[in-house]
Amino acid sequence: MLLHGRLSTFLVLACFQAAFSVATDGIPSEYTAPGTFPTSVYDTYWNDPTATSAQPQPVITDPVTDVIFPETLTDPVNFLKNDTVDPHPLPLPSTHSELLSRAIAQIATIATSPAFDGNTCAQCLASLEVAKFLVMAAPEQGPLLAEAACVYFNYSTTCYDEYSVLALGSVFTQVVALADVGGYDGQVLCSKFSNLCPIPPPVPLNLTSWFAKPKPNPLPPPKQPSGERLKVLHVSDIHIDPRYATGAEANCSQYMCCRDNAYNTDFPDQILLPASRYGAYYCDTPLSLMVSAMQAIPPLTGTEGTGFNFSIFTGDLTSHDTDNQYSRAYVEYAEVMVYNLLKKFLGPAPVYATVGNHDTYVQFQMIPYAMGGYLGKQFNWLYDHISSMWSYEGWLPSESVEFSRTHYAAYTVKRPDGLRVISLDTDICKAYNYFSYINATDPDPFGILRFLTDELQDAEDAGDRVWIVGHVLSGWDGTAAQYNPTNLCESVDRYSPHVIANIFWGHTHEDELSIFYTNNATVMNADTALAVSWIGPSLTPLTNLNSGFRMYEVDSATFDVLDAYTWMSAVNEFPALDNQTEVGPTYAFEYSTRAAYGGNITWGANDPLNATWWHLVTEQMEYNSTLVQTFNTYQGKSSVVGAPCTGECIPAKICYMRSGSAPIAVENCPAGYGSVQ
């Protein structure tokens, strides 16, 4: 600090006097300040106040606290750039329950705020962002938020059963935490599950280096038919219900019917329709019905002494219970029961099975391994157990079993007769697999398309024919599979018709079919038809369907389908079988595919029912609508309660048959006619 005395003060005053210019009236007209700083203004300074190279830095004392303000507070060179002394208040941390309450309130505000100007997509994405930050901070609150949102928006009357931590709540929490909910992932979630966003455009697979080799041109010469016919059984969607209660309400108001606690809300104190011992239209398959079907199959198909050459089962073992009534043990129980029965009644030949969307816990859900950690491995119990069952039954070689354990239960079997069976876990692209909406811009997040493409290339190199087996269909009316990814069509196009002989799905419970065309179906005619996917009828009657199964006659060299025969059992006749033990259900021949649809098509008796033939069938349907109505009848396995098909339904069915992938159906076909249930 620098000190100055009275002499300095006197000199300053003298300078003040000298600076005045006096006007005639005694009032100065101007004033010139002295060139030196009046040091008497303050008692002390941090620097020399008379220096001309810097501003004076007086020492200031706070008269309230009697504390001198530090030099560093105002030093032009060394003043503090960040105040670490004063308080900078933040709100107190909320408890996790408080976070939940505020998240619910914020979502309610977003839903009603006029600031969004009716933009429901923006509101949905904003709400997902709120949910994301909640579950990242307090994961255990995620299921409670899902349940609260269900109640607030009146999505369901059973919100706890559907969204608690014991049901979809844990899945919701994981997906919201891991997904890009403010971007593409959020858009597809809001589109599919709430219809609040438009469907975002699919993300195409980068095909620049996807295929190891270009498609051969010309194609290799087709394999010549052997003239020998194999018998192959196709069973699908068994949905065994070990909890089926004979005599319980079969016309209930809410799933599951034919259960001890089922009731009809109009008459809760009485049973309107007792559950027959062999099943009902609103119920899954009781053990008595499945065993009856297994007993019927060998004599009806002429395989009592020989068995089938092989069989395919396109998934769905378990009943349609709500998630809160499911468990791993329940799934494993169904695996053991169903596979043992198939093995017992169908003979020694292998059954090539695939995983259905009801064959896991939580239902419909499969998560990519790429999520890592224990989350990425949470379904390994399923892959391990189901692969072990396939090994136990003697259906798969050891190398296929081991591959299946670590690849979502997908596998390849190279049969000695030149057929390669590729089983895919198509549940990964099921529309209700929430986990598949994480990183949805990746067209192959599970790597299943990479696996399929590599196997098809290997088959092409080896000169093998291929059957692809899965559960969730890729096309038909576009409601089952996700809109994205869509790229199965690219692999089918690349490897058809010389490698892929047939594709088989299940899932819908109905007898359906769809055709793949070149160039993603930009042109649909008999020349561009490449491959056909057969959608097998279900053994379960659920819902409003008869019980059925199918057998294919297949050429032993080309592995083309030469004919398909379907049998069904009329569920409306089951009540008459109660209270007696003389007879059980009757499975009766329903139709031959070739005879039902090929009457006006010029086609050799041993020519395959391939994609070209099926396209010609759809052309016949355009000329003769009664053929569509025949198809519609068989779609429900001739159920007496099946929905009719008239008007717009007729061109819609034809369009679905020409839709190998979901986007083709969604973009081209009238909606709402896909099912007869």
Side-chain angles (χ1 to χ4, degrees), residues 490-522:
E490 303 291 350
S491 292
V492 172
D493 190 339
R494 165 63 181 82
Y495 295 101
S496 295
H498 59 300
V499 177
I500 299 173
N502 284 286
I503 302 169
F504 301 91
W505 310 128
H507 185 62
T508 67
H509 299 191
E510 301 178 26
D511 184 346
E512 299 162 347
L513 182 133
S514 56
I515 306 166
F516 291 85
Y517 297 85
T518 58
N519 297 321
N520 209 22
T522 51

PDB file of all heavy atoms in Angstrom, residues 490-522:
ATOM      1  N   GLU A 490     -33.736 -59.257 -50.221  1.00  0.00           N
ATOM      2  CA  GLU A 490     -32.501 -59.161 -50.995  1.00  0.00           C
ATOM      3  C   GLU A 490     -31.795 -60.513 -51.066  1.00  0.00           C
ATOM      4  O   GLU A 490     -31.302 -60.915 -52.127  1.00  0.00           O
ATOM      5  CB  GLU A 490     -31.572 -58.109 -50.368  1.00  0.00           C
ATOM      6  CG  GLU A 490     -32.170 -56.721 -50.244  1.00  0.00           C
ATOM      7  CD  GLU A 490     -32.369 -56.046 -51.590  1.00  0.00           C
ATOM      8  OE1 GLU A 490     -31.879 -56.566 -52.613  1.00  0.00           O
ATOM      9  OE2 GLU A 490     -33.027 -54.989 -51.626  1.00  0.00           O
ATOM     10  N   SER A 491     -31.751 -61.229 -49.941  1.00  0.00           N
ATOM     11  CA  SER A 491     -31.102 -62.540 -49.937  1.00  0.00           C
ATOM     12  C   SER A 491     -31.911 -63.558 -50.728  1.00  0.00           C
ATOM     13  O   SER A 491     -31.351 -64.403 -51.436  1.00  0.00           O
ATOM     14  CB  SER A 491     -30.898 -63.027 -48.494  1.00  0.00           C
ATOM     15  OG  SER A 491     -29.947 -62.231 -47.830  1.00  0.00           O
ATOM     16  N   VAL A 492     -33.252 -63.483 -50.611  1.00  0.00           N
ATOM     17  CA  VAL A 492     -34.093 -64.394 -51.384  1.00  0.00           C
ATOM     18  C   VAL A 492     -33.882 -64.151 -52.874  1.00  0.00           C
ATOM     19  O   VAL A 492     -33.763 -65.105 -53.670  1.00  0.00           O
ATOM     20  CB  VAL A 492     -35.570 -64.227 -50.993  1.00  0.00           C
ATOM     21  CG1 VAL A 492     -36.465 -65.018 -51.934  1.00  0.00           C
ATOM     22  CG2 VAL A 492     -35.789 -64.681 -49.550  1.00  0.00           C
ATOM     23  N   ASP A 493     -33.824 -62.894 -53.270  1.00  0.00           N
ATOM     24  CA  ASP A 493     -33.609 -62.545 -54.673  1.00  0.00           C
ATOM     25  C   ASP A 493     -32.256 -63.079 -55.155  1.00  0.00           C
ATOM     26  O   ASP A 493     -32.156 -63.708 -56.214  1.00  0.00           O
ATOM     27  CB  ASP A 493     -33.673 -61.020 -54.824  1.00  0.00           C
ATOM     28  CG  ASP A 493     -33.707 -60.579 -56.287  1.00  0.00           C
ATOM     29  OD1 ASP A 493     -33.304 -61.358 -57.169  1.00  0.00           O
ATOM     30  OD2 ASP A 493     -34.135 -59.435 -56.546  1.00  0.00           O
ATOM     31  N   ARG A 494     -31.230 -62.851 -54.357  1.00  0.00           N
ATOM     32  CA  ARG A 494     -29.875 -63.252 -54.777  1.00  0.00           C
ATOM     33  C   ARG A 494     -29.754 -64.769 -54.942  1.00  0.00           C
ATOM     34  O   ARG A 494     -29.048 -65.257 -55.849  1.00  0.00           O
ATOM     35  CB  ARG A 494     -28.866 -62.722 -53.736  1.00  0.00           C
ATOM     36  CG  ARG A 494     -27.469 -63.318 -53.792  1.00  0.00           C
ATOM     37  CD  ARG A 494     -26.744 -63.037 -55.089  1.00  0.00           C
ATOM     38  NE  ARG A 494     -25.427 -63.663 -55.096  1.00  0.00           N
ATOM     39  CZ  ARG A 494     -25.200 -64.935 -55.396  1.00  0.00           C
ATOM     40  NH1 ARG A 494     -26.209 -65.730 -55.746  1.00  0.00           N
ATOM     41  NH2 ARG A 494     -23.970 -65.423 -55.385  1.00  0.00           N
ATOM     42  N   TYR A 495     -30.420 -65.545 -54.085  1.00  0.00           N
ATOM     43  CA  TYR A 495     -30.189 -67.000 -54.076  1.00  0.00           C
ATOM     44  C   TYR A 495     -31.397 -67.806 -54.547  1.00  0.00           C
ATOM     45  O   TYR A 495     -31.496 -68.994 -54.252  1.00  0.00           O
ATOM     46  CB  TYR A 495     -29.756 -67.440 -52.680  1.00  0.00           C
ATOM     47  CG  TYR A 495     -28.424 -66.853 -52.274  1.00  0.00           C
ATOM     48  CD1 TYR A 495     -28.353 -65.752 -51.426  1.00  0.00           C
ATOM     49  CD2 TYR A 495     -27.234 -67.373 -52.776  1.00  0.00           C
ATOM     50  CE1 TYR A 495     -27.124 -65.200 -51.067  1.00  0.00           C
ATOM     51  CE2 TYR A 495     -26.000 -66.821 -52.433  1.00  0.00           C
ATOM     52  CZ  TYR A 495     -25.962 -65.736 -51.582  1.00  0.00           C
ATOM     53  OH  TYR A 495     -24.747 -65.189 -51.237  1.00  0.00           O
ATOM     54  N   SER A 496     -32.296 -67.170 -55.271  1.00  0.00           N
ATOM     55  CA  SER A 496     -33.438 -67.892 -55.831  1.00  0.00           C
ATOM     56  C   SER A 496     -33.433 -67.725 -57.343  1.00  0.00           C
ATOM     57  O   SER A 496     -32.984 -66.701 -57.867  1.00  0.00           O
ATOM     58  CB  SER A 496     -34.749 -67.333 -55.264  1.00  0.00           C
ATOM     59  OG  SER A 496     -34.845 -67.571 -53.893  1.00  0.00           O
ATOM     60  N   PRO A 497     -33.946 -68.741 -58.042  1.00  0.00           N
ATOM     61  CA  PRO A 497     -34.581 -69.969 -57.533  1.00  0.00           C
ATOM     62  C   PRO A 497     -33.625 -71.152 -57.424  1.00  0.00           C
ATOM     63  O   PRO A 497     -34.050 -72.246 -57.084  1.00  0.00           O
ATOM     64  CB  PRO A 497     -35.634 -70.245 -58.602  1.00  0.00           C
ATOM     65  CG  PRO A 497     -34.970 -69.793 -59.879  1.00  0.00           C
ATOM     66  CD  PRO A 497     -34.136 -68.588 -59.509  1.00  0.00           C
ATOM     67  N   HIS A 498     -32.329 -70.955 -57.710  1.00  0.00           N
ATOM     68  CA  HIS A 498     -31.416 -72.091 -57.849  1.00  0.00           C
ATOM     69  C   HIS A 498     -30.964 -72.676 -56.523  1.00  0.00           C
ATOM     70  O   HIS A 498     -30.569 -73.840 -56.456  1.00  0.00           O
ATOM     71  CB  HIS A 498     -30.201 -71.680 -58.684  1.00  0.00           C
ATOM     72  CG  HIS A 498     -29.416 -70.544 -58.103  1.00  0.00           C
ATOM     73  ND1 HIS A 498     -29.971 -69.299 -57.883  1.00  0.00           N
ATOM     74  CD2 HIS A 498     -28.115 -70.454 -57.685  1.00  0.00           C
ATOM     75  CE1 HIS A 498     -29.046 -68.497 -57.375  1.00  0.00           C
ATOM     76  NE2 HIS A 498     -27.923 -69.173 -57.243  1.00  0.00           N
ATOM     77  N   VAL A 499     -31.003 -71.869 -55.420  1.00  0.00           N
ATOM     78  CA  VAL A 499     -30.580 -72.363 -54.109  1.00  0.00           C
ATOM     79  C   VAL A 499     -31.788 -72.573 -53.201  1.00  0.00           C
ATOM     80  O   VAL A 499     -32.007 -73.668 -52.680  1.00  0.00           O
ATOM     81  CB  VAL A 499     -29.566 -71.397 -53.442  1.00  0.00           C
ATOM     82  CG1 VAL A 499     -29.209 -71.897 -52.046  1.00  0.00           C
ATOM     83  CG2 VAL A 499     -28.317 -71.261 -54.304  1.00  0.00           C
ATOM     84  N   ILE A 500     -32.585 -71.538 -53.007  1.00  0.00           N
ATOM     85  CA  ILE A 500     -33.733 -71.623 -52.105  1.00  0.00           C
ATOM     86  C   ILE A 500     -34.867 -72.364 -52.804  1.00  0.00           C
ATOM     87  O   ILE A 500     -35.382 -71.918 -53.836  1.00  0.00           O
ATOM     88  CB  ILE A 500     -34.204 -70.222 -51.669  1.00  0.00           C
ATOM     89  CG1 ILE A 500     -33.084 -69.498 -50.912  1.00  0.00           C
ATOM     90  CG2 ILE A 500     -35.452 -70.329 -50.792  1.00  0.00           C
ATOM     91  CD1 ILE A 500     -33.399 -68.046 -50.590  1.00  0.00           C
ATOM     92  N   ALA A 501     -35.255 -73.488 -52.217  1.00  0.00           N
ATOM     93  CA  ALA A 501     -36.359 -74.269 -52.777  1.00  0.00           C
ATOM     94  C   ALA A 501     -37.696 -73.845 -52.185  1.00  0.00           C
ATOM     95  O   ALA A 501     -38.689 -73.720 -52.904  1.00  0.00           O
ATOM     96  CB  ALA A 501     -36.125 -75.760 -52.532  1.00  0.00           C
ATOM     97  N   ASN A 502     -37.724 -73.630 -50.859  1.00  0.00           N
ATOM     98  CA  ASN A 502     -38.973 -73.260 -50.194  1.00  0.00           C
ATOM     99  C   ASN A 502     -38.662 -72.538 -48.886  1.00  0.00           C
ATOM    100  O   ASN A 502     -37.563 -72.686 -48.314  1.00  0.00           O
ATOM    101  CB  ASN A 502     -39.830 -74.494 -49.887  1.00  0.00           C
ATOM    102  CG  ASN A 502     -40.524 -75.041 -51.115  1.00  0.00           C
ATOM    103  OD1 ASN A 502     -41.491 -74.469 -51.609  1.00  0.00           O
ATOM    104  ND2 ASN A 502     -40.009 -76.165 -51.626  1.00  0.00           N
ATOM    105  N   ILE A 503     -39.647 -71.777 -48.419  1.00  0.00           N
ATOM    106  CA  ILE A 503     -39.581 -71.075 -47.142  1.00  0.00           C
ATOM    107  C   ILE A 503     -40.845 -71.438 -46.372  1.00  0.00           C
ATOM    108  O   ILE A 503     -41.939 -71.519 -46.959  1.00  0.00           O
ATOM    109  CB  ILE A 503     -39.488 -69.553 -47.341  1.00  0.00           C
ATOM    110  CG1 ILE A 503     -38.247 -69.202 -48.184  1.00  0.00           C
ATOM    111  CG2 ILE A 503     -39.445 -68.829 -45.996  1.00  0.00           C
ATOM    112  CD1 ILE A 503     -38.206 -67.760 -48.644  1.00  0.00           C
ATOM    113  N   PHE A 504     -40.705 -71.638 -45.060  1.00  0.00           N
ATOM    114  CA  PHE A 504     -41.843 -72.059 -44.244  1.00  0.00           C
ATOM    115  C   PHE A 504     -41.938 -71.193 -42.992  1.00  0.00           C
ATOM    116  O   PHE A 504     -40.954 -71.038 -42.263  1.00  0.00           O
ATOM    117  CB  PHE A 504     -41.701 -73.536 -43.842  1.00  0.00           C
ATOM    118  CG  PHE A 504     -41.607 -74.465 -45.017  1.00  0.00           C
ATOM    119  CD1 PHE A 504     -40.366 -74.802 -45.549  1.00  0.00           C
ATOM    120  CD2 PHE A 504     -42.754 -74.991 -45.605  1.00  0.00           C
ATOM    121  CE1 PHE A 504     -40.266 -75.652 -46.641  1.00  0.00           C
ATOM    122  CE2 PHE A 504     -42.665 -75.835 -46.703  1.00  0.00           C
ATOM    123  CZ  PHE A 504     -41.422 -76.171 -47.221  1.00  0.00           C
ATOM    124  N   TRP A 505     -43.125 -70.649 -42.756  1.00  0.00           N
ATOM    125  CA  TRP A 505     -43.405 -69.843 -41.566  1.00  0.00           C
ATOM    126  C   TRP A 505     -44.566 -70.452 -40.790  1.00  0.00           C
ATOM    127  O   TRP A 505     -45.227 -71.387 -41.245  1.00  0.00           O
ATOM    128  CB  TRP A 505     -43.779 -68.412 -41.920  1.00  0.00           C
ATOM    129  CG  TRP A 505     -42.916 -67.617 -42.848  1.00  0.00           C
ATOM    130  CD1 TRP A 505     -43.325 -66.943 -43.965  1.00  0.00           C
ATOM    131  CD2 TRP A 505     -41.513 -67.351 -42.733  1.00  0.00           C
ATOM    132  NE1 TRP A 505     -42.275 -66.283 -44.552  1.00  0.00           N
ATOM    133  CE2 TRP A 505     -41.143 -66.521 -43.819  1.00  0.00           C
ATOM    134  CE3 TRP A 505     -40.517 -67.742 -41.832  1.00  0.00           C
ATOM    135  CZ2 TRP A 505     -39.843 -66.065 -44.019  1.00  0.00           C
ATOM    136  CZ3 TRP A 505     -39.222 -67.296 -42.036  1.00  0.00           C
ATOM    137  CH2 TRP A 505     -38.894 -66.471 -43.108  1.00  0.00           C
ATOM    138  N   GLY A 506     -44.874 -69.841 -39.657  1.00  0.00           N
ATOM    139  CA  GLY A 506     -46.061 -70.154 -38.872  1.00  0.00           C
ATOM    140  C   GLY A 506     -46.692 -68.856 -38.398  1.00  0.00           C
ATOM    141  O   GLY A 506     -46.920 -67.932 -39.153  1.00  0.00           O
ATOM    142  N   HIS A 507     -47.008 -68.791 -37.116  1.00  0.00           N
ATOM    143  CA  HIS A 507     -47.357 -67.575 -36.392  1.00  0.00           C
ATOM    144  C   HIS A 507     -48.804 -67.116 -36.508  1.00  0.00           C
ATOM    145  O   HIS A 507     -49.438 -66.788 -35.497  1.00  0.00           O
ATOM    146  CB  HIS A 507     -46.437 -66.423 -36.789  1.00  0.00           C
ATOM    147  CG  HIS A 507     -46.671 -65.168 -36.001  1.00  0.00           C
ATOM    148  ND1 HIS A 507     -46.498 -65.107 -34.629  1.00  0.00           N
ATOM    149  CD2 HIS A 507     -47.086 -63.938 -36.375  1.00  0.00           C
ATOM    150  CE1 HIS A 507     -46.798 -63.895 -34.208  1.00  0.00           C
ATOM    151  NE2 HIS A 507     -47.163 -63.171 -35.234  1.00  0.00           N
ATOM    152  N   THR A 508     -49.369 -67.068 -37.698  1.00  0.00           N
ATOM    153  CA  THR A 508     -50.706 -66.472 -37.835  1.00  0.00           C
ATOM    154  C   THR A 508     -51.808 -67.429 -37.411  1.00  0.00           C
ATOM    155  O   THR A 508     -52.956 -66.998 -37.245  1.00  0.00           O
ATOM    156  CB  THR A 508     -50.978 -66.045 -39.290  1.00  0.00           C
ATOM    157  OG1 THR A 508     -51.053 -67.204 -40.109  1.00  0.00           O
ATOM    158  CG2 THR A 508     -49.890 -65.115 -39.797  1.00  0.00           C
ATOM    159  N   HIS A 509     -51.501 -68.719 -37.262  1.00  0.00           N
ATOM    160  CA  HIS A 509     -52.464 -69.790 -36.972  1.00  0.00           C
ATOM    161  C   HIS A 509     -53.295 -70.138 -38.202  1.00  0.00           C
ATOM    162  O   HIS A 509     -54.136 -71.033 -38.128  1.00  0.00           O
ATOM    163  CB  HIS A 509     -53.395 -69.450 -35.808  1.00  0.00           C
ATOM    164  CG  HIS A 509     -52.704 -69.230 -34.510  1.00  0.00           C
ATOM    165  ND1 HIS A 509     -53.381 -69.124 -33.311  1.00  0.00           N
ATOM    166  CD2 HIS A 509     -51.389 -69.101 -34.190  1.00  0.00           C
ATOM    167  CE1 HIS A 509     -52.514 -68.927 -32.326  1.00  0.00           C
ATOM    168  NE2 HIS A 509     -51.297 -68.907 -32.846  1.00  0.00           N
ATOM    169  N   GLU A 510     -53.090 -69.451 -39.301  1.00  0.00           N
ATOM    170  CA  GLU A 510     -53.947 -69.614 -40.467  1.00  0.00           C
ATOM    171  C   GLU A 510     -53.156 -70.182 -41.645  1.00  0.00           C
ATOM    172  O   GLU A 510     -51.929 -70.090 -41.697  1.00  0.00           O
ATOM    173  CB  GLU A 510     -54.597 -68.279 -40.819  1.00  0.00           C
ATOM    174  CG  GLU A 510     -55.432 -67.726 -39.665  1.00  0.00           C
ATOM    175  CD  GLU A 510     -56.054 -66.368 -39.948  1.00  0.00           C
ATOM    176  OE1 GLU A 510     -56.266 -66.058 -41.139  1.00  0.00           O
ATOM    177  OE2 GLU A 510     -56.321 -65.626 -38.998  1.00  0.00           O
ATOM    178  N   ASP A 511     -53.867 -70.738 -42.575  1.00  0.00           N
ATOM    179  CA  ASP A 511     -53.296 -71.357 -43.764  1.00  0.00           C
ATOM    180  C   ASP A 511     -53.133 -70.268 -44.823  1.00  0.00           C
ATOM    181  O   ASP A 511     -54.105 -69.866 -45.476  1.00  0.00           O
ATOM    182  CB  ASP A 511     -54.251 -72.465 -44.234  1.00  0.00           C
ATOM    183  CG  ASP A 511     -53.704 -73.257 -45.415  1.00  0.00           C
ATOM    184  OD1 ASP A 511     -52.731 -72.809 -46.039  1.00  0.00           O
ATOM    185  OD2 ASP A 511     -54.277 -74.315 -45.703  1.00  0.00           O
ATOM    186  N   GLU A 512     -51.909 -69.784 -44.997  1.00  0.00           N
ATOM    187  CA  GLU A 512     -51.656 -68.648 -45.878  1.00  0.00           C
ATOM    188  C   GLU A 512     -50.412 -68.906 -46.710  1.00  0.00           C
ATOM    189  O   GLU A 512     -49.741 -69.932 -46.555  1.00  0.00           O
ATOM    190  CB  GLU A 512     -51.487 -67.364 -45.052  1.00  0.00           C
ATOM    191  CG  GLU A 512     -52.721 -66.999 -44.242  1.00  0.00           C
ATOM    192  CD  GLU A 512     -52.454 -66.014 -43.116  1.00  0.00           C
ATOM    193  OE1 GLU A 512     -51.257 -65.789 -42.780  1.00  0.00           O
ATOM    194  OE2 GLU A 512     -53.430 -65.501 -42.544  1.00  0.00           O
ATOM    195  N   LEU A 513     -50.081 -67.928 -47.546  1.00  0.00           N
ATOM    196  CA  LEU A 513     -48.934 -68.078 -48.434  1.00  0.00           C
ATOM    197  C   LEU A 513     -48.532 -66.713 -48.963  1.00  0.00           C
ATOM    198  O   LEU A 513     -49.383 -65.832 -49.136  1.00  0.00           O
ATOM    199  CB  LEU A 513     -49.304 -68.996 -49.606  1.00  0.00           C
ATOM    200  CG  LEU A 513     -48.184 -69.278 -50.601  1.00  0.00           C
ATOM    201  CD1 LEU A 513     -48.116 -70.768 -50.907  1.00  0.00           C
ATOM    202  CD2 LEU A 513     -48.413 -68.489 -51.887  1.00  0.00           C
ATOM    203  N   SER A 514     -47.242 -66.536 -49.226  1.00  0.00           N
ATOM    204  CA  SER A 514     -46.808 -65.299 -49.886  1.00  0.00           C
ATOM    205  C   SER A 514     -45.641 -65.589 -50.822  1.00  0.00           C
ATOM    206  O   SER A 514     -44.877 -66.538 -50.625  1.00  0.00           O
ATOM    207  CB  SER A 514     -46.423 -64.216 -48.866  1.00  0.00           C
ATOM    208  OG  SER A 514     -45.422 -64.666 -47.984  1.00  0.00           O
ATOM    209  N   ILE A 515     -45.523 -64.749 -51.848  1.00  0.00           N
ATOM    210  CA  ILE A 515     -44.577 -64.954 -52.942  1.00  0.00           C
ATOM    211  C   ILE A 515     -43.519 -63.854 -52.917  1.00  0.00           C
ATOM    212  O   ILE A 515     -43.821 -62.681 -52.675  1.00  0.00           O
ATOM    213  CB  ILE A 515     -45.314 -64.916 -54.298  1.00  0.00           C
ATOM    214  CG1 ILE A 515     -46.475 -65.926 -54.304  1.00  0.00           C
ATOM    215  CG2 ILE A 515     -44.356 -65.205 -55.452  1.00  0.00           C
ATOM    216  CD1 ILE A 515     -47.438 -65.713 -55.467  1.00  0.00           C
ATOM    217  N   PHE A 516     -42.271 -64.237 -53.177  1.00  0.00           N
ATOM    218  CA  PHE A 516     -41.175 -63.284 -53.349  1.00  0.00           C
ATOM    219  C   PHE A 516     -40.911 -63.097 -54.846  1.00  0.00           C
ATOM    220  O   PHE A 516     -40.924 -64.061 -55.612  1.00  0.00           O
ATOM    221  CB  PHE A 516     -39.895 -63.803 -52.687  1.00  0.00           C
ATOM    222  CG  PHE A 516     -39.940 -63.837 -51.186  1.00  0.00           C
ATOM    223  CD1 PHE A 516     -40.493 -64.924 -50.522  1.00  0.00           C
ATOM    224  CD2 PHE A 516     -39.425 -62.791 -50.435  1.00  0.00           C
ATOM    225  CE1 PHE A 516     -40.527 -64.974 -49.141  1.00  0.00           C
ATOM    226  CE2 PHE A 516     -39.455 -62.832 -49.053  1.00  0.00           C
ATOM    227  CZ  PHE A 516     -40.012 -63.913 -48.405  1.00  0.00           C
ATOM    228  N   TYR A 517     -40.634 -61.840 -55.230  1.00  0.00           N
ATOM    229  CA  TYR A 517     -40.358 -61.503 -56.624  1.00  0.00           C
ATOM    230  C   TYR A 517     -38.983 -60.844 -56.734  1.00  0.00           C
ATOM    231  O   TYR A 517     -38.415 -60.376 -55.734  1.00  0.00           O
ATOM    232  CB  TYR A 517     -41.421 -60.543 -57.173  1.00  0.00           C
ATOM    233  CG  TYR A 517     -42.823 -61.110 -57.205  1.00  0.00           C
ATOM    234  CD1 TYR A 517     -43.644 -61.059 -56.076  1.00  0.00           C
ATOM    235  CD2 TYR A 517     -43.329 -61.698 -58.365  1.00  0.00           C
ATOM    236  CE1 TYR A 517     -44.933 -61.577 -56.103  1.00  0.00           C
ATOM    237  CE2 TYR A 517     -44.622 -62.214 -58.402  1.00  0.00           C
ATOM    238  CZ  TYR A 517     -45.415 -62.156 -57.269  1.00  0.00           C
ATOM    239  OH  TYR A 517     -46.691 -62.671 -57.296  1.00  0.00           O
ATOM    240  N   THR A 518     -38.474 -60.764 -57.942  1.00  0.00           N
ATOM    241  CA  THR A 518     -37.197 -60.096 -58.180  1.00  0.00           C
ATOM    242  C   THR A 518     -37.316 -58.603 -57.896  1.00  0.00           C
ATOM    243  O   THR A 518     -38.407 -58.016 -57.950  1.00  0.00           O
ATOM    244  CB  THR A 518     -36.734 -60.284 -59.638  1.00  0.00           C
ATOM    245  OG1 THR A 518     -37.737 -59.762 -60.513  1.00  0.00           O
ATOM    246  CG2 THR A 518     -36.499 -61.745 -59.950  1.00  0.00           C
ATOM    247  N   ASN A 519     -36.169 -57.995 -57.610  1.00  0.00           N
ATOM    248  CA  ASN A 519     -36.089 -56.541 -57.427  1.00  0.00           C
ATOM    249  C   ASN A 519     -37.123 -56.012 -56.444  1.00  0.00           C
ATOM    250  O   ASN A 519     -37.771 -54.983 -56.677  1.00  0.00           O
ATOM    251  CB  ASN A 519     -36.221 -55.813 -58.769  1.00  0.00           C
ATOM    252  CG  ASN A 519     -35.084 -56.145 -59.706  1.00  0.00           C
ATOM    253  OD1 ASN A 519     -33.930 -56.275 -59.288  1.00  0.00           O
ATOM    254  ND2 ASN A 519     -35.398 -56.337 -60.981  1.00  0.00           N
ATOM    255  N   ASN A 520     -37.289 -56.749 -55.348  1.00  0.00           N
ATOM    256  CA  ASN A 520     -38.188 -56.319 -54.276  1.00  0.00           C
ATOM    257  C   ASN A 520     -39.599 -56.065 -54.794  1.00  0.00           C
ATOM    258  O   ASN A 520     -40.281 -55.134 -54.375  1.00  0.00           O
ATOM    259  CB  ASN A 520     -37.641 -55.073 -53.576  1.00  0.00           C
ATOM    260  CG  ASN A 520     -38.086 -55.006 -52.125  1.00  0.00           C
ATOM    261  OD1 ASN A 520     -38.433 -56.012 -51.510  1.00  0.00           O
ATOM    262  ND2 ASN A 520     -38.083 -53.803 -51.564  1.00  0.00           N
ATOM    263  N   ALA A 521     -40.017 -56.925 -55.726  1.00  0.00           N
ATOM    264  CA  ALA A 521     -41.397 -56.926 -56.237  1.00  0.00           C
ATOM    265  C   ALA A 521     -41.769 -55.644 -56.976  1.00  0.00           C
ATOM    266  O   ALA A 521     -42.932 -55.229 -56.962  1.00  0.00           O
ATOM    267  CB  ALA A 521     -42.380 -57.194 -55.109  1.00  0.00           C
ATOM    268  N   THR A 522     -40.804 -55.029 -57.628  1.00  0.00           N
ATOM    269  CA  THR A 522     -41.146 -53.850 -58.427  1.00  0.00           C
ATOM    270  C   THR A 522     -42.005 -54.233 -59.624  1.00  0.00           C
ATOM    271  O   THR A 522     -42.819 -53.432 -60.108  1.00  0.00           O
ATOM    272  CB  THR A 522     -39.873 -53.140 -58.916  1.00  0.00           C
ATOM    273  OG1 THR A 522     -39.009 -54.103 -59.539  1.00  0.00           O
ATOM    274  CG2 THR A 522     -39.134 -52.504 -57.740  1.00  0.00           C
TER     275      THR A 522
END
